[in-house]
């Protein structure tokens, strides 16, 4: 079970906002510091490991840049959104960020609420209101990667890339 | 059950008899395109084995020629990588430099009916060639490079039947702005284009529409094949291919008819293209600091020709920077030969080397605080081309060129005839 404080964002949150072009090839630490600098300056100092990000429709639209890695590096426990952009989803799987679609989640929470996610049951609930919602299931193979640290450990094990 | 063109490509690539929306398909990848950006320290991993170097192309585009030492170091690493693994399709700074999707088009790397991946979100541009082409992340890229495979979660497909003919001064970018404005995003869905208007729609126009599919958040964009497409690829790549036509009984989420003859020049207001298009008149008179034509979506020879036609014999307004970036050095050379570069330069435009450059705010035309830009490129996200306070309007090359002359946003019809 994952449980954490909710930070709310809207529809169509794009990857340029999460990982601005100015730090596209900077270090992971610098990239982490720049998350949402244009639309919510200072947020990176407020968010804490274990918090939950709630998004609207098409969360993570835009570029292929590793924005999911920056959110993972901020320590977010998970991202739940009305829908997850397909390319962002691939990066979430590969970088080991739990990012799942949960229709209705945006209206069901206020910022600061405590949201609980039970992946085994594909269920999320708001601890303050008691409202429970269905999380859209993803294929088992992808869930294993997403919750197991992403794709790189597998490629290392198979001897296809060197460990960092 | 009938399949769409994309579903038929995936059935072939996964060795399945048929595939359908909802399937998780594991496919063999025909072409893996790596970029200069693949070799930055925060992106790359030390690769031990490449599955098949003949299936790989390395194309430098985001930071070319290298604007700083970091980019130069990444490019040196990539050169050594290409040498070490014997990758022959290597497009370094030079005559075959260009934006990856434009270079892929120039060389016919995206074979009809095949699967292509690249770590840039506008890879769907190659869907113009009836190729299942998709932008993937850096880890996906390394997976495909080392194993020869990748996976796709297959969504449903929206089919557009295009009819009619574009009016003078209206281009594929306006068609995109019409679709984005009318239908909004196509998240987790695919787009298939077909219909009688294809016969009048050049490969450059199709590539604009396909590239901009990324801005509709489409998973894949596929064009129905026709003879013009087949001839274009055959003239550039001797490799055999099997184009995939949609079945007559293919299932679509929706089937929409679009009359190209009814479309007017449009502009997307800043920060988003989704349901954000207005007629040029609604923002006419908006003062601009910069006008930009370029990117994988609008760096074709057709785009440069259209810009040259508008500015011929005129001058860029005082105080406006007009930047034109050809999609590839091949396009640059063709535009030079056709006289477009001279026409643009004499009007006061700066024609740059081919690069992704200004489109992503990387280099060669970054916007400062509170500046206003009108762009014929791929994105107008807040902060995309530089300062977060800058405002980016998006339009066709004709509207951008006309606005550069006027010094403010203007309908391209104002300069329809050319002057020279």
């Amino acid at each position: 079970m994952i449980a954490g404080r909710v930070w709310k964002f809207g529809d169509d949150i794009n990857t340029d906002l999460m990982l601005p072009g100015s730090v596209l090839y900077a270090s992971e630490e610098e990239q982490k510091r720049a998350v949402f600098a244009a639309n919510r300056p200072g947020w990176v100092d407020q968010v804490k490991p274990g918090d939950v990000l709630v998004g609207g429709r098409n969360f993570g639209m835009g570029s292929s840049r590793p924005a999911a890695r920056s959110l993972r590096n901020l320590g977010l426990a998970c991202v739940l959104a009305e829908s997850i952009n397909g390319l962002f989803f691939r990066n979430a799987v590969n970088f080991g960020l739990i990012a799942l679609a949960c229709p209705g989640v945006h209206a069901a929470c206020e910022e600061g609420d405590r949201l609980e996610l039970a992946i085994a049951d594909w269920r999320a609930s708001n601890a303050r209101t008691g409202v429970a919602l269905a999380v859209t299931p993803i294929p088992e193979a992808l869930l294993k990667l997403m919750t197991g640290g992403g794709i790189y450990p597998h490629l290392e094990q198979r001897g296809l890339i060197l460990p960092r | 059950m009938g399949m769409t063109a994309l579903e038929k490509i995936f059935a072939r690539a996964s060795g399945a008899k048929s595939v359908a929306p909802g399937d998780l398909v594991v496919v063999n990848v025909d072409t893996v395109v790596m970029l200069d950006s693949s070799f930055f320290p925060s992106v790359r991993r030390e690769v031990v084995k490449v599955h098949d170097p003949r299936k790989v192309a390395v194309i430098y585009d985001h930071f070319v020629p290298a604007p700083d030492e970091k980019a130069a170091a990444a490019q040196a690493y990539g050169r050594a990588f290409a040498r070490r693994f014997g990758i022959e399709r290597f497009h370094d700074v030079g005559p075959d430099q260009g934006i990856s999707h434009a270079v892929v088009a120039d060389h016919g790397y995206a074979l009809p009916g095949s699967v292509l991946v690249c770590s840039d979100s506008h890879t769907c541009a190659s869907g113009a060639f009836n190729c299942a082409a998709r932008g993937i992340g850096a880890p996906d890229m390394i997976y495909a490079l080392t194993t020869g495979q990748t996976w796709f979660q297959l969504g449903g497909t929206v089919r557009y039947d295009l009819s009619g003919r574009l009016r003078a001064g209206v281009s594929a970018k306006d068609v995109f702005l019409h679709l984005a404005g009318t239908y909004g995003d196509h998240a987790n869905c695919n787009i298939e284009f077909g219909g009688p208007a294809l016969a009048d729609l050049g490969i450059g126009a199709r590539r604009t529409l396909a590239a901009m599919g990324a801005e509709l958040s489409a998973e894949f964009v596929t064009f129905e094949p026709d003879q013009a497409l087949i001839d274009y690829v055959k003239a550039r790549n001797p490799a055999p291919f099997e184009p995939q036509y949609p079945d007559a009984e293919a299932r679509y989420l929706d089937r929409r008819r679009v009359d190209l003859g009814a479309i007017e020049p449009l502009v997307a207001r800043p920060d988003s293209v989704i349901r954000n298009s207005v007629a040029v008149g609604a923002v006419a008179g908006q003062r601009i600091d910069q006008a930009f034509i370029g990117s994988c979506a609008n760096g074709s020879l057709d785009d440069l020709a259209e810009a040259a036609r508008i500015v011929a014999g005129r001058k860029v307004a005082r105080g406006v920077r007009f930047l034109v970036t050809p999609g590839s050095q091949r396009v640059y050379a063709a535009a030079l030969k056709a006289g477009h570069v001279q026409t643009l330069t004499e009007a006061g435009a700066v024609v740059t080397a081919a690069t992704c450059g200004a489109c992503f705010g990387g280099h060669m035309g970054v916007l400062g605080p509170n500046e206003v830009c009108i762009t014929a490129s791929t994105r107008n996200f807040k902060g995309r081309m530089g300062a977060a306070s800058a405002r980016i309007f998006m339009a066709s090359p004709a509207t951008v060129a006309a606005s550069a002359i006027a010094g403010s946003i203007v309908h391209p019809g104002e300069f329809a005839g050319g002057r020279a």
Side-chain angles (χ1 to χ4, degrees):
Chain A
M1 167 91 93
I2 291 167
R5 180 207 196 277
V6 168
W7 295 96
K8 253 180 106 170
F9 288 79
D11 290 339
D12 301 322
I13 297 297
N14 69 62
T15 54
D16 279 61
L17 296 175
M18 301 177 203
L19 207 174
S22 56
V23 292
L24 203 45
Y25 303 110
S27 68
E28 289 187 39
E29 187 57 33
E30 286 169 278
Q31 290 178 349
K32 187 175 95 172
R33 299 288 314 154
V35 172
F36 297 139
N39 58 322
R40 202 162 172 178
W43 181 72
V44 292
D45 296 318
Q46 300 174 296
V47 65
K48 297 209 163 48
D51 287 353
V52 171
L53 194 156
V54 168
R57 285 200 69 238
N58 200 15
F59 185 86
M61 68 181 283
S63 144
S64 65
R65 59 191 65 181
R69 182 176 66 187
S70 294
L71 298 190
R72 184 203 67 193
N73 287 345
L74 282 170
L76 285 175
C78 67
V79 173
L80 290 176
E82 295 298 313
S83 62
I84 306 278
N85 177 271
L87 182 48
F88 182 85
F89 176 75
R90 296 185 77 93
N91 277 319
V93 168
N94 287 328
F95 283 115
L97 171 75
I98 296 174
L100 298 166
C102 179
V105 71
H106 199 263
C109 10
E110 303 288 334
E111 189 148 302
D113 282 354
R114 189 178 163 80
L115 198 68
E116 297 169 350
L117 169 67
I119 296 183
D121 306 328
W122 299 109
R123 218 163 168 74
S125 50
N126 185 328
R128 176 178 63 85
T129 62
V131 170
L133 298 161
V135 174
T136 308
I138 63 170
E140 185 62 34
L142 301 185
L143 181 66
K144 263 176 96 169
L145 285 173
M146 187 184 261
T147 55
I151 194 78
Y152 286 140
H154 293 265
L155 291 174
E156 287 171 8
Q157 267 168 28
R158 290 170 65 179
L160 296 171
I161 60 171
L162 296 180
R164 234 182 197 157
Chain B
M1 198 180 83
M3 287 190 282
T4 66
L6 180 75
E7 287 159 7
K8 286 169 83 168
I9 295 172
F10 283 153
R12 179 187 150 275
S14 65
K17 232 182 179 150
S18 72
V19 299
D23 289 355
L24 180 72
V25 293
V26 176
V27 299
N28 293 318
V29 176
D30 298 294
T31 311
V32 176
V33 179
M34 301 179 79
L35 312 172
D36 54 330
S37 51
S38 308
F39 301 110
F40 280 87
S42 66
V43 178
R44 72 188 183 217
R45 293 297 303 253
E46 198 66 42
V47 170
V48 176
K49 177 183 156 263
V50 168
H51 177 257
D52 185 351
R54 292 166 305 177
K55 292 186 170 173
V56 181
V58 176
I59 306 175
Y60 284 1
D61 62 3
H62 275 64
F63 291 104
V64 284
D68 59 28
E69 199 177 327
K70 269 186 185 171
Q75 288 170 29
Y77 181 97
R79 283 180 198 111
F81 173 89
R83 260 199 312 277
R84 179 173 154 216
F85 291 106
I87 294 163
E88 286 175 12
R89 294 190 291 185
F90 179 47
H91 294 260
D92 202 340
V93 175
D96 276 328
Q97 163 189 334
I99 302 172
S100 65
H101 319 305
V103 171
V104 163
D106 288 346
H107 293 264
Y109 290 159
L111 294 171
S114 72
V115 176
L116 179 150
V117 295
C118 166
S119 58
D120 181 87
S121 55
H122 296 103
T123 301
C124 49
S126 294
F129 300 109
N130 184 244
C131 173
R134 199 201 193 296
I136 57 176
D140 280 318
M141 173 64 93
I142 293 170
Y143 189 86
L145 180 76
T146 54
T147 69
Q149 293 192 319
T150 194
W151 55 268
F152 297 116
Q153 246 189 326
L154 193 55
T157 298
V158 175
R159 160 86 182 194
Y160 284 98
D161 290 297
L162 309 179
S163 63
R165 256 195 127 122
L166 291 171
R167 291 190 232 165
V170 180
S171 71
K173 193 52 162 283
D174 298 302
V175 178
F176 159 75
L177 290 167
H178 168 74
L179 298 181
T182 308
Y183 300 108
D185 75 55
H186 294 54
N188 306 111
C189 306
N190 310 303
I191 293 174
E192 185 178 283
F193 285 110
L198 241 52
D200 293 322
L201 222 49
I203 299 297
R206 297 182 202 184
R207 283 180 44 230
T208 300
L209 271 177
M212 295 309 292
E215 300 321 303
L216 299 172
S217 291
E219 293 282 299
F220 288 91
V221 180
T222 322
F223 272 74
E224 209 174 305
D226 66 359
Q227 198 55 46
L229 164 60
I230 290 166
D231 292 345
Y232 181 99
V233 176
K234 276 192 174 159
R236 289 163 173 80
N237 187 344
F241 58 83
E242 286 177 48
Q244 298 295 326
Y245 298 81
D247 293 329
E249 66 278 20
R251 289 192 189 186
Y252 297 104
L253 291 173
D254 197 5
R255 198 158 183 155
R256 299 167 184 164
R257 291 181 188 284
V258 178
D259 175 8
L260 301 189
I263 294 174
E264 295 274 355
L266 297 168
V267 176
R269 290 171 299 190
D271 298 349
S272 170
V273 295
I274 299 302
R275 297 191 191 278
N276 205 19
S277 305
V278 294
V280 177
V283 287
Q286 165 68 53
R287 182 197 59 78
I288 58 168
D289 300 293
Q290 181 165 308
F292 175 61
I293 297 174
S295 83
C296 51
N298 284 115
S300 73
L301 187 61
D302 294 346
D303 293 322
L304 270 60
E306 182 71 348
R309 189 180 66 77
I310 299 255
V311 305
R314 300 191 162 98
K315 292 286 178 205
V316 171
R318 263 182 95 86
V320 172
R321 311 180 296 267
F322 183 23
L323 309 179
V324 179
T325 300
S328 68
Q329 291 303 100
R330 279 203 183 182
V331 169
Y332 192 119
L336 199 61
K337 211 169 164 186
H340 306 324
V341 174
Q342 186 174 354
T343 303
L344 288 162
T345 306
E346 284 176 0
V350 172
V351 182
T352 78
T355 174
C356 304
C359 173
F360 76 109
H363 61 126
M364 213 107 85
V366 177
L367 298 177
N370 301 312
E371 288 191 332
V372 179
C373 178
I374 184 162
T375 190
S377 58
T378 66
R379 285 194 177 123
N380 66 343
F381 293 164
K382 189 176 173 62
R384 166 77 177 179
M385 297 176 75
S389 58
R391 298 172 70 214
I392 310 167
F393 292 82
M394 185 187 289
S396 72
T399 303
V400 170
S403 303
I405 298 297
S408 59
I409 296 177
V410 71
H411 192 286
E414 298 283 324
F415 301 105
R419 189 178 275 177

